[in-house]
Amino acid sequence: MERTLSIIKPDAVSKNVIGKIIQRFEDAGLKVVGLKMLHLNKDVAKGFYKEHNERAFFADLIKFMTSNPVVVQVLEGESAVRLNRQLMGDTDPQTAAEGTIRSDFAKSIDANAVHGSDSLESAAREIEYFFDKSEIFS
């Protein structure tokens, strides 16, 4: 069993589609084993996205991620990282496959509804960033 981090981003939270997105993960066989709603402050958002610090889009990313609450969750299941990324679809909703989360709920490459860990190593780091072990249940 693998675990991965999923973030339902501010645009999807403000559209009130949290339940619809979670339902897709559950319908695909992923189990939510940790979940919380947070309103990220700039320091938390900057820490999470620190690898993008030098990129031109960094300031806009931080502004977006702190604009409204997010839902962070730990998903567990077979090939959880791969499956989560498959369900999300391409970063750009215009090129995301029909029926993916981003195709259905995102409006742009910047406001793209969800985040998912890109590897097991990233998943471990990202989960630890938002969750204590006592907040994750199998």
Side-chain angles (χ1 to χ4, degrees), residues 63-118:
K63 184 177 179 181
F64 169 65
M65 290 301 292
T66 59
S67 65
N68 279 310
V70 298
V71 173
V72 293
Q73 56 189 333
V74 180
L75 303 174
E76 183 178 81
E78 299 238 358
S79 303
V81 172
R82 181 194 53 77
L83 182 54
N84 179 31
R85 295 190 65 79
Q86 179 182 343
L87 293 167
M88 290 190 312
D90 289 346
T91 303
D92 183 348
Q94 302 306 313
T95 60
E98 189 174 319
T100 61
I101 293 168
R102 288 180 172 147
S103 171
D104 292 344
F105 300 114
K107 67 178 182 179
S108 71
I109 196 167
D110 298 319
N112 62 9
V114 287
H115 163 87
S117 304
D118 63 5

Side-chain angles (χ1 to χ4, degrees), residues 1-7 25 30-34 72-85 87-88 115-128 131 136:
M1 285 292 168
E2 291 180 3
R3 287 185 175 163
T4 190
L5 184 86
S6 168
I7 301 176
F25 295 131
L30 294 171
K31 181 179 177 183
V32 178
V33 295
V72 293
Q73 56 189 333
V74 180
L75 303 174
E76 183 178 81
E78 299 238 358
S79 303
V81 172
R82 181 194 53 77
L83 182 54
N84 179 31
R85 295 190 65 79
L87 293 167
M88 290 190 312
H115 163 87
S117 304
D118 63 5
S119 67
L120 286 173
E121 296 77 23
S122 292
R125 177 180 43 80
E126 292 176 354
I127 290 167
E128 187 176 287
F131 289 89
I136 301 170

Side-chain angles (χ1 to χ4, degrees), residues 7-21:
I7 301 176
I8 301 174
K9 293 182 177 182
D11 56 320
V13 171
S14 68
K15 288 179 187 173
N16 199 32
V17 294
I18 297 166
K20 290 178 182 179
I21 292 172

Side-chain angles (χ1 to χ4, degrees), residues 31-69:
K31 181 179 177 183
V32 178
V33 295
L35 181 131
K36 55 178 125 175
M37 181 179 270
L38 306 168
H39 198 143
L40 304 180
N41 65 40
K42 287 182 181 180
D43 290 337
V44 172
K46 285 179 179 179
F48 183 73
Y49 287 107
K50 67 184 175 188
E51 70 271 11
H52 300 302
N53 188 38
E54 300 299 320
R55 304 225 176 148
F57 62 81
F58 185 73
D60 288 338
L61 174 63
I62 300 308
K63 184 177 179 181
F64 169 65
M65 290 301 292
T66 59
S67 65
N68 279 310

